[in-house]
Amino acid sequence: MKEGDSLKPYGLDASIMELPGHTNGSIGIELKDGIIVGDALMNMFYPTISMLYHDEVQMKESADRISKRGNKMIYFGHGKPVRNKNWIKSKS
């Protein structure tokens, strides 16, 4: 599956988001009010970007893309869901 693929043929009002970084080819599923991010983000100890990644730059870009999706629920591969936020801390 690739960016923008619709899941309507499968009975879901959702689409695919490419979220590489944790692994090559990682994807998320964007729902109307939430995003299933898998391991692009994690909430094992506290909500944060993935601590394990194949490509750090891509992982941070994916986290930034998620942040820009606005006030949606984020569903992790590990941990309880939380509201979306700015996942990448800006350097001041």
Side-chain angles (χ1 to χ4, degrees):
M1 303 199 93
K2 64 184 181 325
E3 182 78 22
D5 282 353
S6 174
L7 297 179
K8 284 186 180 183
Y10 305 97
L12 294 170
D13 187 11
S15 62
I16 298 299
M17 280 181 77
E18 292 179 0
L19 298 173
H22 175 67
T23 60
N24 286 332
S26 291
I27 62 168
I29 300 173
E30 186 166 16
L31 310 160
K32 180 179 177 182
D33 295 321
I35 306 171
I36 301 169
V37 299
D39 290 335
L41 302 172
M42 60 192 308
N43 190 8
M44 291 175 63
F45 307 108
Y46 52 87
T48 187
I49 58 178
S50 184
M51 294 179 189
L52 302 170
Y53 47 83
H54 172 76
D55 185 311
E56 183 179 15
V57 171
Q58 285 185 333
M59 183 265 308
K60 288 181 177 179
E61 288 171 352
S62 291
D64 189 52
R65 288 188 65 225
I66 294 165
S67 295
K68 291 177 179 173
R69 290 299 209 263
N71 189 30
K72 293 187 173 206
M73 286 301 293
I74 300 299
Y75 300 95
F76 306 93
H78 305 277
K80 294 180 181 180
V82 299
R83 282 271 163 212
N84 199 10
K85 65 178 190 170
N86 183 7
W87 296 100
I88 302 295
K89 306 288 187 236
S90 61
K91 296 177 184 176
S92 302

